[in-house]
Amino acid sequence: MTEILASRSFRGPAAEDAIEAVHNDLDSLWLDVPFVNDMDQMTFTTAVIESASNIVQHAQPAGDRDVELGVETTVQPALLQARVSAYHAKPPFGPMEPATPGEDAESGRGLALIEALVTTVTFERQDGTNTWVLSRTSSQD
Amino acid sequence: MEFSYEVKDSYAEVRADGRLNMVSAPKLREFVTDVIAGGSNRIVVNLENTAFMDSSGLGALIGCLKAARQAGGDLRIAAVQPQVNMVLKLTSMDKVLTAYSTAEEAFSND
């Protein structure tokens, strides 16, 4: 059975305020698990914020209800995992492949950055909810 | 995130303190655009107190770099912290945004 050592959960309107709230959640999460090294904390935080920001910036409502952002983060002995969800959202528009923008481009690096920061990224679509599952194997040194 | 700036002898130093994310990135662009409009086209963004930057923040820095160059100047960054350095390297943008140890060093040789 999986041992959860610490966790945080956020759900709220997919708006700018949510990004700061999620970031504050992550900062407090690391205080609970000081054995997670600085590099793992830094990379995982960056990946989660990138994913959450992507939802706030790009998720479109599927119907009358506004899109909500959900972020559930868990720390297991050797695994960091986050489920970053867009509730009441249309399926993502366009290719979900990381882009390779030119060096003077001001956007388009988010997906590639996420993939570079975590071990695996998977996408789930269920009941009007898009969820990105980010996992990073923790080195625990 | 809080912004401030100071005009030095050969450049303007912009300080960006806090998290440079999708919320603050447009504000940085606006702030630096105003500094350039005020007559400074050699900009150093001091990131000493920028503990976090995401791809939106990176995009804002690139936009500021382009604006400075369009005004006939340049933009350089200084005192880059570990998380920002990681994002620059993973996106290969460390080759485009020149980082210096201190703001004073950024334009010291030209």
Side-chain angles (χ1 to χ4, degrees):
Chain A
M1 185 166 170
T2 303
E3 184 185 6
I4 305 290
L5 302 175
S7 65
R8 292 292 184 278
S9 183
F10 172 90
R11 181 161 173 172
E16 289 185 348
D17 289 353
I19 299 304
E20 296 290 347
V22 169
H23 207 140
N24 291 339
D25 272 356
L26 289 165
D27 283 352
S28 79
L29 173 73
W30 304 130
L31 297 177
D32 290 353
V33 283
F35 61 84
V36 177
N37 68 44
D38 289 349
M39 178 59 78
D40 285 335
Q41 293 185 22
M42 194 166 76
T43 51
F44 197 68
T45 298
T46 308
V48 172
I49 296 301
E50 278 290 339
S51 302
S53 299
N54 192 282
I55 288 172
V56 171
Q57 288 175 309
H58 300 299
Q60 296 294 316
D64 294 338
R65 301 171 75 177
D66 290 338
V67 176
E68 288 184 28
L69 171 70
V71 180
E72 295 173 26
T73 312
T74 55
V75 179
Q76 298 170 28
L79 181 70
L80 309 173
Q81 191 169 76
R83 295 179 61 83
V84 185
S85 300
Y87 296 97
H88 322 306
K90 289 180 183 173
F93 175 78
M96 289 170 59
E97 296 298 318
T100 51
E103 64 181 28
D104 64 342
E106 294 174 42
S107 62
R109 296 184 178 82
L111 284 177
L113 185 57
I114 292 167
E115 291 207 338
L117 290 165
V118 296
T119 312
T120 60
V121 184
T122 59
F123 173 76
E124 300 170 1
R125 168 81 183 169
Q126 190 171 21
D127 298 332
T129 301
N130 304 323
T131 300
W132 285 264
V133 183
L134 313 179
S135 300
R136 179 175 172 88
T137 307
S138 175
S139 47
Q140 279 196 73
D141 58 11
Chain B
M1 170 159 261
E2 293 186 2
F3 303 107
S4 60
Y5 81 103
E6 188 176 348
V7 177
K8 304 289 182 77
D9 287 344
S10 62
Y11 63 92
E13 179 178 346
V14 173
R15 297 189 68 95
D17 297 349
R19 295 170 180 158
L20 185 49
N21 57 18
M22 63 157 283
V23 181
S24 57
K27 296 170 186 169
L28 174 66
R29 279 212 64 166
E30 189 178 344
F31 191 88
V32 172
T33 299
D34 286 349
V35 171
I36 293 170
S40 301
N41 62 8
R42 286 152 62 99
I43 308 287
V44 181
V45 181
N46 187 333
L47 298 171
E48 181 180 8
N49 293 318
T50 303
F52 179 87
M53 178 178 78
D54 65 8
S55 66
S56 298
L58 176 61
L61 283 177
I62 294 165
C64 293
L65 170 67
K66 285 156 64 176
R69 288 181 175 170
Q70 280 166 8
D74 202 3
L75 178 141
R76 294 166 189 181
I77 56 178
V80 172
Q81 301 302 300
Q83 189 275 347
V84 174
N85 190 47
M86 175 190 75
V87 171
L88 289 168
K89 286 189 180 304
L90 287 176
T91 56
S92 300
M93 293 310 290
D94 54 330
K95 300 176 181 68
V96 177
L97 283 160
T98 311
Y100 293 83
S101 299
T102 65
E104 291 76 18
E105 283 181 25
F107 284 103
S108 61
N109 291 323
D110 57 358

